[in-house]
Every structure is written in C-alpha cells, then in structure tokens.
Amino acid sequence: VTVAVIVLHGLGTMMTTESAERARRFLDEVIDHADDLATQRGLDRIRLTGDAYYAACGLTRPHLDHAARAAAFVLDVCELIDDLAPDGGVEVTAGMASGPVSVGLTGGSRLMHDTWGATVQRAGELARFGSLGQILVADSMRAQLPDRYEVVAADVDGASCLVGRVTANEDAP
C-alpha cells in the first residue's frame, strides 16, 4: 500500500484567533472534501489525529498504481487548502511511503479499524520533517511513481520531494 499523511500547519492558530464556529466549519469542509478526493482517487481515510489526515491506497482494494493515486490525492488536497485558505493562514506539509502495513479490527459491536507499521510511521515522520508546502516521498515510493510526476532531491535522508505533475491528465491518477 501507499500511505499519505497530510499535516495542516496553522490550524491551532486558527482555532485560537478565529471564532470557534468558523474554524470548525473550515476543518469540516477540509475533511469532507479530502474524503471525497480520497474516494475519487481510490484511497481510504485511515485516521484523523490532531492536525494530520492519514489515508492509504491499496488497503481495501488493490491498485497496481497505488503510489500514483496517493500522489495525485496529496496534490489535490494541497490545491484544496490553497482554495479554502487563500490568506495563507493554513499551510500543508505531506509525507508518503509505500510498503506493508498491519490492519486490525476492534470494538465488538462498533467495529473500528486501525492501521500501523513502519510504512505508516515513515509517512507520518516525513509529513512532520517537511518544510511548509513540501511533499516528501520515501524512496520506497519514488521508484513506483510514473514519469508524469516531478520529483527532486530533498534534504531528508531516504526521501525525495514531490514537486507536482509534469502533465495534467485528469483521467490518470
């Protein structure tokens, strides 16, 4: 699978400087749109933790192009945040990694699942290491990305930086 972690920087400041209702509406809108984008790209939201949105491609449905789908999703969410927070009050960093994960179900009558492992941890670390606006891609994922994505060297060991799409083909992930 490929795990994507998107961190919203400035969300805490928004919660303290804006009205609670406005901040909640903003966050609800981001999550609703991100969930829709995840579904369109074939990803599943696996967790919301504080200022971080975790999603994975390849968990419930296998996709040979899971890395490309995750990259397209993260780029889409970055555009979404730019549209919803044009004042720059909220900025994004993201991390992505491909590899094995563990999934567990718990909860008895109210089933819940969680996803964990080195791949999830690596994607989360990269999302926290990145500079504002940066999308870091683990080397485990970089080799799986098609040429339509521009990836450059990063200052983080074992990672590269996803710059964007070289070609904008809406039909392709």
Side-chain angles (χ1 to χ4, degrees):
V1 303
T2 296
V3 176
V5 178
I6 301 166
V7 177
L8 303 176
H9 297 275
L11 192 58
T13 302
M14 175 187 269
M15 296 294 184
T16 59
T17 60
E18 302 283 336
S19 74
E21 180 63 26
R22 183 182 182 288
R24 189 183 58 77
R25 273 196 321 266
F26 172 80
L27 186 57
D28 286 346
E29 191 171 7
V30 168
I31 292 169
D32 286 346
H33 287 304
D35 284 347
D36 290 344
L37 291 168
T39 299
Q40 290 171 17
R41 296 293 186 182
L43 282 79
D44 298 296
R45 176 175 23 126
I46 57 175
R47 178 182 315 149
L48 292 172
T49 306
D51 58 358
Y53 183 105
Y54 287 70
C57 188
L59 279 179
T60 58
R61 292 172 305 259
H63 293 286
L64 294 176
D65 60 345
H66 54 88
R69 288 172 177 269
F73 166 72
V74 169
L75 291 169
D76 290 346
V77 172
C78 289
E79 290 175 14
L80 169 70
I81 299 302
D82 286 345
D83 291 345
L84 293 178
D87 60 353
V90 175
E91 296 187 64
V92 174
T93 59
M96 293 183 283
S98 295
V101 298
S102 296
V103 178
L105 291 173
T106 186
S109 64
R110 295 182 54 167
L111 284 178
M112 297 174 57
H113 79 277
D114 194 10
T115 306
W116 65 92
T119 303
V120 177
Q121 183 175 350
R122 180 68 172 149
E125 289 170 353
L126 291 174
R128 297 286 179 195
F129 289 152
S131 301
L132 292 179
Q134 197 172 41
I135 303 168
L136 293 177
V137 177
D139 288 345
S140 63
M141 180 184 166
R142 181 179 183 172
Q144 299 179 55
L145 284 174
D147 292 341
R148 70 177 169 269
Y149 292 98
E150 183 180 359
V151 182
V152 298
D155 292 333
V156 177
D157 186 38
S160 301
C161 184
L162 176 65
V163 177
R165 297 175 184 98
V166 175
T167 59
N169 183 347
E170 291 302 317
D171 295 329

